[in-house]
Amino acid sequence: MSARTTPRPWPLVALFTAGYLAPYLLPTTVGRLDAGLPLSATQAGSIGSALLLSSAMAGFLLASRVDRFGPRRLAQAGLLLAAAGYGTAAATTTIPLVVTGAILGGLGSGTATTVAATGIAAQRDPHRTTTLGLLGVSALAGTLYLTIPHLGGAHGLPLAAIAITALLVLPTTRHLPTHTPQPTPHTPQALRSSTPLPHLHAGALLAAAMLFWSLAQNSLWGVSGRIGLTQAGLTEVTVGAVFAAALGAGLLGVIGASALGPRLGHALPIGAGTALIAGCIALSAAADDLTSFATGEIAWNTLYPVVLSYVIGLATSLDPRGRWAVLVGSASSLGTACGPLTGSLLSARAGYPAMGTILALGLLLLTVPMTAVALRTRRGSTPEHTVVEISLDAIPAQRTAYDTAGPRQAATAAAPGPGPT
């Protein structure tokens, strides 16, 4: 795809930020629902799971349909749906309306994320654009974690922040193409919409592993606020400050990942990073004071976006059209959706420290298939060659074509064609 037809990166970064903001604000969203509405902790976690589940379903349904609807139209519909859904959930205390609004908002977030992932896969440097998106959402979420505790205890503040973000990002969609550009003569035939998914086994294994990877992460993330408040004995302002510092550290991690780029490959950052994250989760779940809680959360959030950026980059490398990036991202959203409820159930039955140990062991097991996919993809990757059909009828036979072979004749006969230069 030529630079002229490739979507600009900054609207995709804005769309990525709006789509991913809901998962990043999950702890305060679930905590506010629990504290501000007549809901138990498990019920509040279930609403968070329903929100993220609807987001994942949007990705699965739209992964191969962005071309059909057009990026601009689909992004606008997703942002408007997110604003309407989250705005409704924020403005009412009626439980059925809160649940309905959260589900509709999740569909909107998932739609925006799908368009962003598809566009990012078409960039010349998908990893760099992904890290810019992670920088944007981390910076915004960190700012909100510092701000929301000072605005009152209403349940709808985090939801309203997501709705406002969707409306603010909406004008940027006019810079997205109305239709996905059709393949050019320089584009491999593999990019045509009728082509089946490449690297089917590797992509399916990565998607399955990513589902459980995200489930483990968000099982802790969904109850991190309660760990800080109840087990570590901190105030909401202090917990918010820790989350802001953790997301700020995540910015540094993303900047480092952007600077390194693909130099380390995918296997080392994904495998070693996931193993380190497992230790951070165990530490954070067992925290009983400010020092241990802050250390676990900050170290964890420093590593999480780094590994996530390399996983997205690996998924993007499996299919230039971005379908595996969307499907792996949707599997991640599905795991994220199950996280709050899983964390609530595990912590209620086994306690926070035991929950952290279980999640850490599960992550250590996941390093094997995720690293295997990265290594297999690196070994098996071969450059694609474009096959160009040349009609012989279009080349008139000339008597000079049968002259004596030599450099002069070869230079004369060579003419630029439609194939790659």
Side-chain angles (χ1 to χ4, degrees):
M1 189 176 291
S2 65
R4 186 174 59 183
T5 58
T6 301
R8 299 177 184 178
W10 66 269
L12 298 173
V13 170
L15 201 60
F16 184 99
T17 300
Y20 265 87
L21 185 59
Y24 268 69
L25 292 183
L26 188 64
T28 187
T29 300
V30 172
R32 291 281 178 132
L33 291 175
D34 181 14
L37 297 176
L39 295 170
S40 66
T42 302
Q43 289 171 333
S46 299
I47 295 177
S49 292
L51 183 160
L52 298 172
L53 181 61
S54 64
S55 180
M57 289 301 102
F60 284 122
L61 292 174
L62 298 172
S64 60
R65 292 178 172 85
V66 176
D67 295 359
R68 182 185 306 173
F69 296 111
R72 183 187 300 178
R73 183 185 305 172
L74 203 56
Q76 290 172 345
L79 292 174
L80 289 173
L81 187 60
Y86 293 128
T88 300
T92 182
T93 57
T94 304
I95 303 301
L97 286 178
V98 171
V99 174
T100 302
I103 292 173
L104 292 178
L107 286 172
S109 292
T111 301
T113 303
T114 299
V115 177
T118 304
I120 288 172
Q123 296 293 303
R124 291 182 176 178
D125 189 351
H127 186 266
R128 181 175 181 273
T129 308
T130 299
T131 54
L132 289 175
L134 290 171
L135 280 172
V137 70
S138 297
L140 179 57
T143 302
L144 291 173
Y145 273 117
L146 287 175
T147 305
I148 288 175
H150 299 284
L151 299 180
H155 81 280
L157 286 174
L159 296 167
I162 304 171
I164 292 171
T165 300
L167 291 176
L168 292 176
V169 170
L170 187 61
T172 68
T173 58
R174 68 176 182 270
H175 298 285
L176 296 174
T178 54
H179 299 287
T180 301
Q182 295 300 312
T184 67
H186 296 277
T187 305
Q189 186 73 14
L191 298 185
R192 296 192 183 276
S193 58
S194 59
T195 306
L197 278 169
H199 303 290
L200 186 60
H201 296 298
L205 182 59
L206 182 62
M210 197 58 185
L211 188 155
F212 292 103
W213 188 88
S214 292
L215 184 146
Q217 309 281 340
N218 288 277
S219 292
L220 179 64
W221 187 237
V223 298
S224 286
R226 297 206 294 274
I227 292 174
L229 293 173
T230 59
Q231 184 170 277
L234 307 177
T235 65
E236 184 183 11
V237 173
T238 304
V239 170
V242 170
F243 286 158
L247 292 174
L251 293 177
L252 298 178
V254 172
I255 292 172
S258 179
L260 285 173
R263 292 186 184 91
L264 299 178
H266 293 106
L268 180 61
I270 291 174
T274 298
L276 291 173
I277 286 173
C280 295
I281 285 180
L283 174 62
S284 184
D288 56 3
D289 58 16
L290 175 59
T291 301
S292 56
F293 180 72
T295 301
E297 292 290 327
I298 290 173
W300 173 31
N301 281 277
T302 301
L303 294 166
Y304 170 80
V306 175
V307 178
L308 179 61
S309 71
Y310 279 99
V311 172
I312 295 175
L314 176 59
T316 300
S317 70
L318 296 177
D319 178 26
R321 288 190 61 226
R323 289 171 292 179
W324 275 125
V326 173
L327 291 172
V328 170
S330 298
S332 173
S333 297
L334 185 59
T336 301
C338 300
L341 183 58
T342 302
S344 297
L345 292 174
L346 280 176
S347 60
R349 297 188 178 185
Y352 295 122
M355 176 199 70
T357 301
I358 294 171
L359 297 177
L361 291 175
L363 281 175
L364 290 176
L365 291 176
L366 288 176
T367 60
V368 178
M370 296 177 75
T371 305
V373 170
L375 291 172
R376 183 194 313 172
T377 303
R378 184 181 65 181
R379 287 196 303 266
S381 59
T382 56
E384 294 182 347
H385 300 281
T386 305
V387 178
V388 181
E389 294 182 3
I390 302 176
S391 175
L392 296 178
D393 296 335
I395 304 177
Q398 299 179 6
R399 189 173 300 278
T400 56
Y402 305 97
D403 206 346
T404 305
R408 180 179 62 81
Q409 288 79 2
T412 304
T421 57

